[in-house]
Every structure is written in structure tokens, then in C-alpha cells.
Amino acid sequence: MIKNQKKLLFRMKIKSVVYSCTRACNLNCKHCYQDAGKKSKNELDTKRAINLIVEISELGGKQLLFSGGEPLLRKDIYNLIYEAKARGLEVELLSNGTLINDRVAQILSSLNVDGVQISIDGEKEFHDWLRGKSFDKAINAIKNLHDYHIQTEIAMVAMSKNYNQIENIADVAQSFGARFRVLRFLPLGRGAKNSYLSIDDKIYREIAERIKSKYNVTFAGIDTERCSAGIESIAIDPEGNVLPCELLIDYKMGNVREKSLKDILDDNRLKDFVREKSRKCKALECI
């Protein structure tokens, strides 16, 4: 028992953190697991966010992903990116792309951002129906990032009404030299109100098999060898709650306002989650 506990503690060394730095968003996506829109009243301020970044670095973290909402709506986002890069962290931005004009792309390039993920959930008509009119801006964002040689990844959520468009978006990614990732629709947040968008597992796997034979694309739940949640990766929500994964929005293990990140990671609540992960996460179908 003691040997197993020591092994578990060793495996919990943090490598990657998804920091949903704001709940504010300028879109109203029907499948948003965060139910993002308005900024939360208790979001970490600049000082606390920087302290969090410092602690992630001191704990041996390697990668920090700024998510949202829309992270570019945080007025201090460039300061946070600068602090993370100054401490040797690999930094990626997960964005809807609507705010990435030429000037923003130039700033991100000057900050040496390691990558930007842009969400495109299908062809123009479907994307604009799902997210609000934003397809053209998302494509323009990819062009701007490409112009400044920033590594870009297109992320598409596979659903019952867009799976026949995946190959076309793969073509878009290929034309810009961008990576392409397909995610599964999960009935969380606003997605819970639109569960009809869920895709049949058999269809999802058939599409993956066909498209992977033609394109360099990653399919969540098929190409995922194992889940690192709570072992090598964690998530932190806008209010500072630490989660084993950004999708487990109700599984709060502690808040960085009240305890250090180290103490939260050493807590039994995280260890219990890791032990029981397969039961707790089965419904999410991530892997």
C-alpha cells in the first residue's frame, strides 16, 4: 500500500495546465461546455493570476494553455502570456478567432506564443448557426497567424449535423499547414440543452477511419492512448478552482485563493479521483 501511494504521488507531478482565465465570451455557442458569456465577478485578478503562473512554473509545469470563454477578452492577457513565457512555460491560446486581426497576431508573435487553437465547427452556414456569425473572422485569424508563422491548430467538434463537413475543414487546415483536431460533442453546459447534437459512436469511428487515411488529423477518443487528468494535467477555472480536467467543471478540488496549488495537488481528493477515474469519467467518453 505504501509503495503504491509513493508511486501515485510521483505520477502527480504537474506538466500541463488549462487555465480558463475568463468566462467572458463574445459568442453564444450552442455546445459550450462552460456556458460562457458574461465575465464572472470573482475571476482571478492580474496579481493572483501571475502568482498562479509562478507556482505552476515552480512546481515543474511545462505547458500552460489559456482558454475561456474567450481569453483575448481579458485586458491583461498579454501580461499573463509574457509572465508565463518569462518563466519558461510553453504557452498556447485557445480562441474562437474573432479578435485575432493582424495587430493581435503580431503581438502574439512578439510574445513568442507557441501555438494558437482556433475553433471551426464546419462550413460557414453551420458554423455561423452554431456559434453566431464568426466563420469569416475565424478563417481570417488563421490567415493572420499563418502570416506571422505562429503554429496553428483547427479544432472541430463532431456532431450529428456536421460530421459530413469534417473532410472539408481538414482541407482548410491542410491549406494553411495547420494541425487539425476533431473533438467529441459532450452534453455539458449549454450542450446539455442541445443533446440532439450528439454523434453516434459508430458513425464517429467510421468517419475517423476514413479521414485518417487521407489526412494528418487527431480524433479525441480514438487517438487518445490514456487520460492524463489528475496525473500530469489539471485545469483551473476563472474563479481559481482547481479541476482534474476542464470538462469536469463541478469536480472542484480546492481554490488557489484559499490554498497553494501544491497543497491542492497533494490533497486526498485528487488521489481519490485518480483511483476512481474510470467510473467518474465514463459518461464523458473522452477516451
Side-chain angles (χ1 to χ4, degrees), residues 4-13 266 271:
N4 289 337
Q5 287 178 344
K6 286 183 177 179
K7 184 178 180 181
L8 187 59
L9 283 169
F10 175 76
R11 293 178 64 197
M12 284 181 186
K13 287 189 176 179
D266 286 342
K271 300 170 193 174

Side-chain angles (χ1 to χ4, degrees), residues 1-25:
M1 179 66 72
I2 295 176
K3 289 182 178 180
N4 289 337
Q5 287 178 344
K6 286 183 177 179
K7 184 178 180 181
L8 187 59
L9 283 169
F10 175 76
R11 293 178 64 197
M12 284 181 186
K13 287 189 176 179
I14 186 173
K15 288 186 178 180
S16 179
V17 177
V18 178
Y19 174 29
S20 299
C21 59
T22 183
R23 216 171 292 281
C25 190

Side-chain angles (χ1 to χ4, degrees), residues 36-184:
K38 293 184 179 180
K39 175 184 176 180
S40 297
K41 293 180 180 179
N42 297 320
E43 291 181 3
L44 298 182
D45 60 19
T46 301
K47 182 178 179 180
R48 288 186 183 274
I50 290 176
N51 288 341
L52 173 62
I53 292 169
V54 170
E55 191 167 11
I56 290 170
S57 174
E58 290 177 345
L59 288 173
K62 304 298 181 185
Q63 181 186 53
L64 180 58
L65 292 82
F66 288 100
S67 182
E70 171 50 53
L72 287 170
L73 287 175
R74 265 195 78 124
K75 295 180 179 180
D76 60 357
I77 187 61
Y78 299 136
N79 292 338
L80 300 186
I81 292 173
Y82 174 85
E83 295 292 341
K85 289 297 299 181
R87 285 163 176 77
L89 294 171
E90 177 184 326
V91 174
E92 293 193 20
L93 195 72
L94 280 58
S95 172
N96 60 38
T98 58
L99 303 176
I100 303 180
N101 54 26
D102 181 85
R103 176 59 178 160
V104 171
Q106 184 181 36
I107 294 172
L108 293 175
S109 176
S110 69
L111 289 169
N112 295 315
V113 166
D114 295 280
V116 178
Q117 182 188 98
I118 302 294
S119 297
I120 296 184
D121 286 316
E123 297 168 4
K124 179 178 171 64
E125 183 178 358
F126 179 81
H127 178 99
D128 287 350
W129 169 81
L130 184 76
R131 290 178 166 269
K133 293 184 178 180
S134 57
F135 181 85
D136 291 339
K137 289 183 178 180
I139 292 295
N140 192 55
I142 296 169
K143 291 179 180 177
N144 291 329
L145 294 167
H146 180 265
D147 288 345
Y148 284 95
H149 308 290
I150 298 173
Q151 177 64 60
T152 307
E153 179 176 75
I154 294 177
M156 178 177 180
V157 178
M159 297 173 244
S160 60
K161 293 187 176 297
N162 72 344
Y163 66 82
N164 60 343
Q165 301 173 25
I166 294 176
E167 194 163 351
N168 292 340
I169 304 306
D171 284 330
V172 173
Q174 188 169 274
S175 69
F176 286 105
R179 297 193 299 254
F180 184 42
R181 177 182 296 272
V182 179
L183 309 171
R184 296 206 55 165

Side-chain angles (χ1 to χ4, degrees), residues 188-208:
L188 301 171
R190 279 198 292 275
K193 303 174 185 177
N194 298 289
S195 58
Y196 67 92
L197 291 171
S198 295
I199 186 171
D200 180 81
D201 185 66
K202 182 179 179 181
I203 293 175
Y204 182 75
R205 292 183 178 279
E206 288 175 350
I207 292 167

